[in-house]
Amino acid sequence: MERLHKHHFLSSLLHLLQLLTLYFCLLVEICILLCQCNPSYHLLPLAFILLLLLLSRRPHVYLLDFSCLRPPPNFRVPTAGLIEHLSLINCFDDQSVAFMSKIIVSSGMGEETCFPPPLHFIPPRTALADSLDEARNLLFPTLDDLFSKTRVLPSEIDALVVNCSGFCPVPSLSAMVVNHYSMREDVKSFSLSGMGCSAGAIGVDLAQGVLRARGGSARYAIVVSTEIVSTGWYAGKDRRKLLLNCFFRMGCAAVLLTNRNEEKARAKYKLIHLLRTQRAFDDLAYRSAMREEDADGITGFSIERDLLRVAAETLKANAAALGAKILPVRERLRYVWRKVRVVDWRKVISHFCLPASGRTVTEEIGKGLGIGEREMEAARMTFHRFGNQSSASMWYQLAYVEAKDRVQKGERVWQLGMGSGPKCNTMVWESLRRQVGEKEKGPWSSSIACYPVNCGGGGAAGALDS
């Protein structure tokens, strides 16, 4: 508590110093004008203003490195085996099995996606103990790899954010991590739940806020993004809720952030922009994706027919806000005056990490942004290889373009997440060096040579009407 008061006092003192410096500069300038002094004296307030800008400059947030879990091969769920598995579960009737089979076959998912161990049982096991084991199998291997790669100790972490939309145990997932790694008593830990597939960007926003608020006293923050798939398993017959059984798979990503300028030399990326947009104020949009009980009292996550339209509206608002910040003036005028449908994002963005929710959803987003197959490749290949991994998928996509040796120094990466709420969150990173050698050590190390592939399929669009 003493340390917290000290940080608050220093922050308030710095703010007061900035205001006093500004007032002093104005006073000096007025005195110079009234006394008609030598023109060179006008440099004095300028010097103070420069000092003020230096004091008020917000430190950059850098991404040192990130890790993505590659599930063990014995957790695979090939399409034929999964369909047979579904047919053996008594809670599903023939119509439900046929519906899920059609979605899975047409989704564009490959044969290497993985279920957590509890879902390999017949019937699936969704008890609390099984979900906690699943969490340990996701969080700890991913974080072990991150600590090993970055050579940063768990005791050096100042802030920890764990986001998992559907599973919120007590003690929390962040407390589980603090306990496992014996982190410091003053580490700022947060657990985010119910925030959907875009929660990874929310976690980064929260982490950078902690780093900036604590100034030089905070150095490192970790954001962990995952989903406990077994808790989202739906054992009923409502088609709106069966879709999650078809798409979601194992995945976990951990990101190490820092505000230390000394770490810039070994950091991978610098955070340029982070924007968050939501439409929870709109009742129709709010209910477009929601966890609720069906007519039989079985809890599941409903996806409504108008979800794509709601997503498009949310994306449009987010893209407009981002465009106002990063697009060249000429491109913005072209959009306003000539009323063109889309702007050319490729003028300012080199790599795109889009929601990996199936071929149809990715193509609709790509069409809305006016980008081509090359820009959608990372999202489509990630879905094919790993399935929908919720908020972790944007990091698997970044790992994909790195494994392909495509990221050059100075290029920008746009990570776009869309989740329930609904919300659309954007992060733009600038590469600080050419990213090489990632194909041998990332989640794609055993399969990158096989990609890209022809995914085929379609996805959930129109499935609810069939």
Side-chain angles (χ1 to χ4, degrees):
M1 208 54 188
E2 212 173 289
R3 188 175 176 182
L4 186 63
H5 287 315
K6 181 181 177 182
H7 292 325
H8 179 71
F9 173 75
L10 291 175
S11 177
S12 300
L13 186 63
L14 180 62
H15 183 63
L16 178 62
L17 180 60
Q18 291 170 353
L19 289 175
L20 290 175
T21 305
L22 180 60
Y23 292 147
F24 180 73
C25 292
L26 292 173
L27 181 62
V28 170
E29 184 66 27
I30 291 171
C31 291
I32 291 172
L33 289 173
L34 291 176
C35 298
Q36 296 182 342
C37 297
N38 191 311
S40 62
Y41 288 132
H42 288 282
L43 294 176
L44 184 61
L46 177 61
F48 280 112
I49 290 174
L50 289 175
L51 176 62
L52 175 66
L53 292 175
L54 185 63
L55 290 172
S56 62
R57 186 176 66 88
R58 301 177 73 185
H60 289 295
V61 172
Y62 301 101
L63 191 159
L64 270 185
D65 212 332
F66 65 98
S67 292
C68 298
L69 176 76
R70 189 176 69 190
N74 55 308
F75 291 172
R76 281 193 319 123
V77 281
T79 301
L82 176 56
I83 293 174
E84 180 183 13
H85 187 84
L86 294 172
S87 66
L88 295 174
I89 301 175
N90 293 331
C91 64
F92 298 131
D93 55 24
D94 291 343
Q95 290 77 19
S96 296
V97 173
F99 174 77
M100 287 187 285
S101 300
K102 178 181 178 182
I103 297 298
I104 293 167
V105 170
S106 64
S107 68
M109 251 187 308
E111 301 296 311
E112 301 291 324
T113 65
C114 295
F115 267 162
L119 296 187
H120 286 265
F121 287 88
I122 298 178
R125 293 164 52 169
T126 58
L128 176 62
D130 296 303
S131 297
L132 289 172
D133 284 340
E134 181 183 344
R136 296 185 189 99
N137 289 332
L138 291 166
L139 299 175
F140 301 151
T142 309
L143 284 166
D144 287 345
D145 183 60
L146 183 66
F147 289 130
S148 174
K149 286 200 299 188
T150 59
R151 302 186 302 280
V152 172
L153 300 175
S155 59
E156 296 180 273
I157 302 304
D158 300 288
L160 169 69
V161 183
V162 180
N163 65 267
C164 176
S165 191
F167 184 54
C168 186
V170 179
S172 65
L173 292 176
S174 62
M176 182 189 295
V177 173
V178 171
N179 174 262
H180 180 79
Y181 291 102
S182 300
M183 292 182 172
R184 298 198 320 265
E185 63 178 8
D186 63 341
V187 63
K188 306 302 178 187
S189 62
F190 306 87
S191 285
L192 302 179
S193 64
M195 304 296 283
C197 298
S198 63
I202 299 173
V204 172
D205 192 14
L206 179 56
Q208 76 161 344
V210 174
L211 289 175
R212 285 173 171 168
R214 298 182 67 185
S217 65
R219 301 177 299 169
Y220 300 108
I222 283 181
V223 178
V224 185
S225 299
T226 191
E227 197 59 67
I228 307 303
V229 181
S230 57
T231 59
W233 184 259
Y234 174 64
K237 302 178 179 63
D238 187 339
R239 290 191 174 187
R240 298 173 303 160
K241 298 176 175 61
L242 288 171
L243 291 172
L244 260 69
N245 293 354
C246 304
F247 291 146
F248 278 78
R249 299 291 188 269
M250 279 186 79
C252 182
V255 182
L256 182 59
L257 305 171
T258 183
N259 62 349
R260 300 183 66 194
N261 285 326
E262 312 92 88
E263 293 282 27
K264 182 179 179 180
R266 72 182 185 114
K268 281 188 167 185
Y269 301 93
K270 178 172 68 176
L271 184 61
I272 303 298
H273 297 290
L274 195 154
L275 295 171
R276 294 167 55 182
T277 307
Q278 65 169 297
R279 293 185 61 81
F281 54 84
D282 182 338
D283 289 345
L284 186 63
Y286 176 73
R287 295 194 59 83
S288 62
M290 178 174 288
R291 191 176 186 184
E292 58 187 1
E293 293 181 340
D294 65 11
D296 299 318
I298 303 172
T299 302
F301 193 84
S302 294
I303 297 177
E304 302 297 337
R305 291 180 175 87
D306 56 358
L307 178 63
L308 280 180
R309 181 188 60 78
V310 170
E313 293 172 353
T314 313
L315 172 61
K316 184 178 179 181
N318 187 270
L322 179 63
K325 289 180 175 292
I326 68 172
L327 285 172
V329 174
R330 180 178 178 183
E331 191 68 20
R332 277 182 267 169
L333 292 176
R334 176 175 171 266
Y335 180 76
V336 175
W337 289 352
R338 300 185 185 179
K339 301 188 183 301
V340 294
R341 292 188 60 190
V342 293
V343 297
D344 190 356
W345 292 101
R346 288 166 293 191
K347 292 182 181 295
V348 288
I349 301 292
S350 302
H351 308 283
F352 295 77
C353 301
L354 309 174
S357 304
R359 178 184 174 186
T360 300
V361 174
T362 301
E363 287 183 349
E364 286 298 316
I365 292 173
K367 188 186 303 179
L369 295 176
I371 56 179
E373 290 293 325
R374 175 80 168 183
E375 290 72 35
M376 293 187 285
E377 182 182 317
R380 294 182 61 186
M381 298 308 111
T382 296
F383 184 78
H384 181 273
R385 171 62 181 84
F386 294 102
N388 187 337
Q389 299 170 298
S390 190
S391 57
S393 68
M394 63 172 62
W395 299 107
Y396 283 79
Q397 293 177 57
L398 183 54
Y400 177 85
V401 294
E402 286 188 353
K404 285 291 185 182
D405 293 333
R406 293 178 182 172
V407 184
Q408 305 296 320
K409 181 178 180 180
E411 291 184 338
R412 290 182 174 183
V413 180
W414 182 3
Q415 290 184 310
L416 176 65
M418 304 189 72
S420 55
K423 57 183 69 70
C424 179
N425 300 323
T426 276
M427 293 186 292
V428 178
W429 303 89
E430 180 183 308
S431 176
L432 298 175
R433 53 186 166 86
R434 185 186 174 199
Q435 310 300 333
V436 294
E438 298 298 330
K439 66 175 69 175
E440 291 86 11
K441 55 186 179 182
W444 295 89
S445 58
S446 64
S447 56
I448 192 63
C450 305
Y451 285 91
V453 299
N454 182 4
C455 297
L464 295 175
D465 297 312
S466 61

